[in-house]
Amino acid sequence: QQQQKSNWNGAHSGFASLAAATFGACSAAATVAFCEKSQQQPRSYVQATSPEQIMNHGESDITREEQRLEEAAIKAKKHAGGLKLFSGNGNLALSMEIARTLGINLGKATVGKFADGETHIQIHENVRGKDVYVIQPTCPPVNNNLMELLLMVSTLNRASARRITVVIPYYGYARQDRKMQARVPISAADVARLLEAMGIDRVIAVDLHCGQIQGFFGPRVPVDNLDGGIVG
């Protein structure tokens, strides 16, 4: 029995050595295979790049659909942003130049006359909750331009505009700012009351005939009197 036990122990130790060698070889082979596989697979790592490289990489990855959506967003910003710009017939060229400088489009509106000479105003855009600017000098023909301005402000208020600022490069009736003789009106003050009654929120004027015209408007309507000058 002791001889059989020693033989068994010897065989067992030999088997253990063989198994250990085999397991070591398998482990080495597995390690080599794992290393080769790791070298073949691409590694995921963060590469330090400059902002210019990131921007260029992002531009190259933009698809046509994303580019179309971006262009649509820019177009929507020009047409339906929080700022709206409208103009009467007083100085349409100036209004278009201001819109071009701001990078927005003039609001769509009909400002004309009916067959009997009455002023016709219609706003073709949604102005609810918008910050609206109306560019309309009351230059000759003064009464026509003034009526256009009054009706445009009234229309915008009825269309639920959030804020209305009128830009008046030429303030009509500005020279009638005081009584030079008996039984004459102070027309500059009356025009201010008409505009305030229509519901304007702010006035931007250029080179008023005299500074006290700003006082003809109530405290609820601030007036900015800009000084004109030669550029160049």
Side-chain angles (χ1 to χ4, degrees):
Q1 292 179 357
Q2 293 179 356
Q3 185 178 0
Q4 290 179 356
K5 186 176 181 179
S6 62
N7 293 336
W8 168 252
N9 291 335
H12 180 70
S13 60
F15 177 77
S17 300
L18 179 61
T22 305
F23 180 74
C26 293
S27 300
T31 303
V32 172
F34 177 76
C35 293
E36 292 178 354
K37 185 177 180 181
S38 299
Q39 291 178 357
Q40 292 176 358
Q41 291 181 351
R43 298 181 181 179
S44 59
Y45 56 89
V46 178
Q47 182 181 3
T49 55
S50 62
E52 292 79 7
Q53 291 177 344
I54 294 176
M55 293 178 62
N56 295 334
H57 181 70
E59 292 177 357
S60 62
D61 291 343
I62 293 179
T63 61
R64 290 184 178 180
E65 183 66 16
E66 291 175 348
Q67 186 176 3
R68 186 186 64 81
L69 292 175
E70 185 177 358
E71 292 176 355
I74 295 175
K75 184 178 180 181
K77 180 181 178 182
K78 287 187 176 182
H79 287 276
L83 174 66
K84 291 289 185 179
L85 188 65
F86 291 92
S87 174
N89 294 320
N91 196 334
L92 188 58
L94 174 63
S95 303
M96 295 178 65
E97 185 66 21
I98 293 174
R100 186 185 66 82
T101 302
L102 295 176
I104 61 177
N105 295 331
L106 274 178
K108 297 179 181 179
T110 298
V111 183
K113 292 185 178 299
F114 289 107
D116 59 352
E118 295 178 356
T119 301
H120 170 51
I121 303 293
Q122 184 176 4
I123 305 298
H124 301 290
E125 294 188 14
N126 180 21
V127 296
R128 182 180 298 275
K130 306 294 184 181
D131 192 2
V132 181
Y133 285 76
V134 180
I135 303 174
Q136 174 73 344
T138 53
C139 54
V142 178
N143 294 335
N144 292 339
N145 290 329
L146 179 59
M147 184 57 65
E148 287 182 3
L149 178 59
L150 294 174
L151 294 182
M152 287 186 73
V153 172
S154 175
T155 304
L156 293 169
N157 269 319
R158 295 175 189 273
S160 302
R162 182 179 68 88
R163 180 182 175 87
I164 301 175
T165 301
V166 294
V167 182
I168 310 177
Y170 180 89
Y171 190 96
Y173 293 101
R175 291 177 177 83
Q176 302 182 46
D177 55 358
R178 60 190 181 277
K179 293 185 66 172
M180 298 297 296
Q181 54 187 351
R183 295 177 297 279
V184 294
I186 304 178
S187 302
D190 296 332
V191 170
R193 289 198 182 97
L194 286 173
L195 290 171
E196 193 171 0
M198 288 296 101
I200 61 175
D201 295 290
R202 195 177 193 92
V203 176
I204 299 177
V206 180
D207 283 338
L208 290 174
H209 183 255
C210 59
Q212 70 249 29
I213 294 179
Q214 302 177 62
F216 293 158
F217 293 88
R220 193 187 65 84
V221 182
V223 180
D224 295 322
N225 184 22
L226 306 181
D227 294 329
I230 299 176
V231 180

